[in-house]
Amino acid sequence: MASDGKVVVEKVGEKSSVTRCFSKYPLKFIIPRKVGPSKTDAVWIYSLTYGGGVVSGDSISCEFTIGDTCTTVLTTQASTKVYKSMGSKCSEQVLEASIGSDALLAVVPDPVTCFSTARYSQKQVFRVVSDSSLVIVDWITSGRHESGEKWDFDLYKSTNHIFLEDNQPLFLDTVLLERGSIASIAEHMQDYQVIAMVVLLGPKLKQVQDQVQKDVKRIMSERLHIPSASLGHHVITKSDHFLMKPSFIASTSVFGPKGIGVVVRIAAMTTESVYKFLHHQLACLEPLLGMSPYR
């Protein structure tokens, strides 16, 4: 079933305001009247699907236009659940967004969760100008691993593209997890239950970029540091490597002209640890957004 949604955010009376909002089944947008203090100039938009998930054959596309100097947050009310596919059909979601001058868009959803035999593809395309700011959180959890559904799906593909003016590529990224004939997705992922990516782009996010790079460096130096005194003359075996495997791994890298963007990549053994990390790292956005994401 094809579905379309469109949202336009513009300045009305010096306030960021939704001037157009359209969606049709199974997609729905909820726009609360107030999120955070009234002095904060930010629009929050909750995206959800009827029935609580995406099913085989769904093709959902939506378009966002964020006007100059506007601030917009796009989030969800729960994880995006992707249910069983019929035959070779693939569930699809496409988001296209344009962000104006001195504007900020934060895309901060809960994770995607693919269930048994699901096939899912999502693509997000962002068009920015030189002083736009953008936050993207894109993540997937392994499923109901307590009942044995750990990475038990056929296909997950997530693509994020960011373009500057004149369609100049700024950031092109794709994650692909596919059931193979040699090794399963679960075998590739080993004990990790979550993979995530955070993109921080633009001048309004300089403080967050600097802080997250420092924090990731500190976190990983602590988690990967093994005091030599504790090893003595012990020979490290394969089982030792398993025991020493960190439960949370993160790395950062910069991209774009003059390093205007930072991307954080995460693998973790628990969803809770990623929620905690995201909440801590994005907390300083509260003055801009009115509320801290993942609180």
Side-chain angles (χ1 to χ4, degrees), residues 168-238:
Q168 180 183 349
L170 179 62
F171 180 82
L172 305 175
D173 184 85
T174 298
V175 172
L176 175 64
L177 299 175
E178 188 171 14
R179 189 185 301 275
S181 57
I182 300 175
S184 68
I185 298 171
E187 288 173 315
H188 282 302
M189 298 307 298
Q190 299 182 38
D191 294 309
Y192 292 104
Q193 305 294 327
V194 185
I195 54 172
M197 180 181 73
V198 183
V199 175
L200 303 164
L201 170 70
K204 292 187 178 182
L205 303 172
K206 186 67 171 68
Q207 179 186 352
V208 191
Q209 292 174 341
D210 293 343
Q211 190 61 50
V212 74
Q213 290 182 87
K214 291 178 184 176
D215 285 352
V216 166
K217 185 177 180 179
R218 174 184 54 78
I219 290 168
M220 295 315 301
S221 65
E222 290 172 355
R223 290 177 180 266
L224 297 177
H225 177 63
I226 305 169
S228 56
S230 67
L231 294 176
H233 298 289
H234 176 65
V235 177
I236 298 177
T237 66
K238 186 176 180 180

Side-chain angles (χ1 to χ4, degrees), residues 28-53:
K28 182 175 178 63
F29 294 127
I30 296 176
I31 305 171
R33 288 189 177 182
K34 181 181 177 183
V35 176
S38 57
K39 65 180 181 180
T40 303
D41 180 30
V43 170
W44 282 68
I45 301 168
Y46 289 82
S47 172
L48 62 135
T49 49
Y50 286 97

Side-chain angles (χ1 to χ4, degrees), residues 8 14 19 25 27 37 57 62 72 76 78 93 95 102 126 133 142 157 162 165 175 185 193 230 233 257 267 278 292:
V8 177
E14 301 301 316
T19 57
Y25 182 90
L27 179 66
C62 55
T72 306
T76 55
Q93 288 207 81
L95 165 68
D102 196 33
F126 303 92
S133 294
S142 64
K157 183 179 181 181
I162 305 174
E165 299 99 324
V175 172
I185 298 171
Q193 305 294 327
S230 67
H233 298 289
L278 293 173
S292 175

Side-chain angles (χ1 to χ4, degrees), residues 104-106 108 132-137 162 170-171 197-213 252-255 259-264 277-278 281-282 284-285:
L104 166 63
L105 173 63
V108 287
S132 302
S133 294
L134 175 64
V135 179
I136 307 169
V137 177
I162 305 174
L170 179 62
F171 180 82
M197 180 181 73
V198 183
V199 175
L200 303 164
L201 170 70
K204 292 187 178 182
L205 303 172
K206 186 67 171 68
Q207 179 186 352
V208 191
Q209 292 174 341
D210 293 343
Q211 190 61 50
V212 74
Q213 290 182 87
T252 64
S253 58
V254 299
F255 65 89
I260 60 172
V262 170
V263 58
V264 186
F277 176 85
L278 293 173
Q281 297 302 326
L282 302 180
C284 60
L285 291 177

Side-chain angles (χ1 to χ4, degrees), residues 270-281:
T270 67
T271 308
E272 292 74 16
S273 65
V274 181
Y275 269 117
K276 184 178 179 181
F277 176 85
L278 293 173
H279 171 65
H280 178 73
Q281 297 302 326

